[in-house]
Amino acid sequence: MKTIIKGMSTASMMTAALISTAPVLADIVVEEEWGKAQFYGSLRALVTKESGRESDVADGISRIGLKGHVNLSDDWQGTYRLEGRVVLDDGEIFSDANDFHKRITYIGLKNKEVGEIRLGKQYSPHYLWTILPIDITFHNPRHYNIRWNASENSSIREANSVAYFSPSYNGLSFGVLTEIDGGDSQSSGVDSYNIAAKYKIGSWQIGVSYFDRSDDTRINDAIKPDADTFATAIQYKANSHKVVFRYQNEDISDDSDFTTIGAYYAYTFESGITPQFRIYNLDNGVIDGFQTAIGVTKKFNKYGEVFIDYTNYDDDAATLKKRDDDVTVGIKISF
């Protein structure tokens, strides 16, 4: 079936994607000579009970979006991704409650030999290669290893950014990102930059990242000190096993440091049941604490899962994270 896209709005493109999907396909995709558009979503609902707080039906950072590419020539593609926040518990779609909820919006140029350049709000190489392997494994976002005041929140999705991702050279890839927002009182040019590399060989993946953040104003107009961050993550995935080790050190300009060391292990049975365990050591030089989590996930194909997680803090970690022990159960539907 031929799909006419020229002049269509984002909503029309999403509708076309829904209509033109063949019944045998699970993915909602339109792909023709002009390029590709995929409508996708990840909907996550939680029931949580944290020590010292009331029980809560909460959203687990749900989102919907459109992504794909346009064929500009035989060698070049124009890439794009537009993603909006869905707040299931409050019934909000495309929520603008705060900057943490505003998600991925970028366009780019991609060539198999050259790599890809992206402009907009996007994941940093730091996040993709040193955080993602370990931080999305549990489901309650309150207990993710959100960075301390060096790169809190904004090391995940960088607004006002330009990024370059290289092709893979026998498993070795490079990524560079700069943030330039034009509104920072402390820096007149580049506000922050990230240099990272990933090497994948067989079942192993190693990521390293250096993040220099010199902007004084972060998301929600928070004022944070400058910081230099180094991180590495080593991942092994084979024969139903997944093991991750992560190290991060933040050298903060107010003469404080924050070091995070984390480890994760999971095993997936043929039934789709995955027990998992994660532990973090959080050390700011004065307070040294541990955060541990255990959980079980049951997956149904690649489109749905149910889960239960338990997160535990010792006294120091509870002080550092301003959170306490929590039990979370929920469901996740992806398409």
Side-chain angles (χ1 to χ4, degrees):
M1 178 175 66
K2 186 176 181 180
T3 305
I4 300 175
I5 293 295
K6 186 176 180 180
M8 297 179 79
S9 66
T10 299
S12 298
M13 291 176 71
M14 290 181 177
T15 302
L18 286 166
I19 294 173
S20 63
T21 303
V24 296
L25 296 178
D27 295 326
I28 306 173
V29 179
V30 178
E31 187 166 11
E32 299 286 344
E33 292 182 1
W34 58 269
K36 179 180 179 180
Q38 179 178 352
F39 178 59
Y40 68 93
S42 180
L43 307 179
R44 312 162 183 203
L46 316 174
V47 179
T48 72
K49 178 60 178 77
E50 184 173 345
S51 179
R53 301 171 188 251
E54 298 297 328
S55 299
D56 185 26
V57 173
D59 179 76
I61 313 297
S62 301
R63 75 292 304 263
I64 57 175
L66 186 72
K67 63 182 178 180
H69 66 264
V70 176
N71 295 320
L72 303 177
S73 71
D74 291 341
D75 299 319
W76 289 91
Q77 294 179 336
T79 58
Y80 63 89
R81 184 166 178 177
L82 308 171
E83 187 173 285
R85 176 78 159 84
V86 177
V87 187
L88 284 176
D89 55 327
D90 290 337
E92 295 183 58
I93 300 178
F94 301 122
S95 169
D96 61 354
N98 58 56
D99 282 340
F100 184 75
H101 290 172
K102 296 175 183 177
R103 300 193 61 84
I104 303 300
T105 52
Y106 70 77
I107 60 172
L109 292 173
K110 185 176 183 179
N111 179 288
K112 290 182 179 180
E113 303 298 325
V114 177
E116 183 176 4
I117 298 172
R118 299 174 181 172
L119 292 88
K121 185 169 185 179
Q122 58 191 303
Y123 292 122
S124 64
H126 176 80
Y127 171 73
L128 291 172
W129 298 342
T130 71
I131 298 174
L132 188 62
I134 192 172
D135 238 17
I136 65 162
T137 50
F138 286 83
H139 299 86
N140 190 332
R142 291 201 300 256
H143 307 296
Y144 287 174
N145 178 33
I146 299 301
R147 271 48 55 202
W148 200 241
N149 57 10
S151 53
E152 187 175 8
N153 295 337
S154 59
S155 69
I156 297 176
R157 292 173 291 273
E158 296 293 333
N160 307 101
S161 65
V162 180
Y164 167 73
F165 293 89
S166 78
S168 176
Y169 303 103
N170 296 319
L172 180 62
S173 304
F174 300 94
V176 180
L177 178 142
T178 61
E179 180 195 2
I180 308 171
D181 64 21
D184 200 287
S185 62
Q186 188 169 335
S187 54
S188 59
V190 172
D191 300 301
S192 62
Y193 66 88
N194 176 209
I195 301 172
K198 176 183 69 172
Y199 182 58
K200 189 170 184 178
I201 180 170
S203 303
W204 293 88
Q205 176 178 298
I206 302 173
V208 293
S209 173
Y210 174 75
F211 212 123
D212 182 296
R213 190 173 295 283
S214 57
D215 54 339
D216 55 3
T217 305
R218 309 287 168 75
I219 68 170
N220 298 328
D221 298 321
I223 305 299
K224 300 289 186 179
D226 299 356
D228 297 331
T229 299
F230 171 79
T232 184
I234 301 171
Q235 175 180 272
Y236 173 82
K237 291 179 68 175
N239 300 321
S240 299
H241 298 274
K242 179 178 177 180
V243 183
V244 184
F245 173 82
R246 184 174 189 271
Y247 169 84
Q248 176 171 291
N249 177 261
E250 297 167 89
D251 182 6
I252 306 168
S253 62
D254 62 5
D255 294 326
S256 64
D257 281 4
F258 198 94
T259 300
T260 305
I261 300 175
Y264 171 85
Y265 175 74
Y267 182 85
T268 301
F269 294 93
E270 291 184 3
S271 62
I273 295 175
T274 303
Q276 53 185 343
F277 170 80
R278 185 180 67 193
I279 184 168
Y280 281 129
N281 175 245
L282 311 170
D283 183 0
N284 71 351
V286 178
I287 301 175
D288 188 352
F290 284 89
Q291 177 207 67
T292 57
I294 58 173
V296 178
T297 296
K298 164 61 178 175
K299 290 190 176 182
F300 301 90
N301 299 319
K302 64 177 182 178
Y303 303 107
E305 57 188 79
V306 293
F307 51 83
I308 180 169
D309 301 337
Y310 170 67
T311 304
N312 174 266
Y313 296 83
D314 66 12
D315 291 342
D316 286 343
T319 300
L320 286 170
K321 294 275 286 184
K322 297 180 174 60
R323 288 291 177 184
D324 214 328
D325 301 352
D326 183 285
V327 175
T328 297
V329 297
I331 182 171
K332 174 181 173 183
I333 303 295
S334 301
F335 54 87

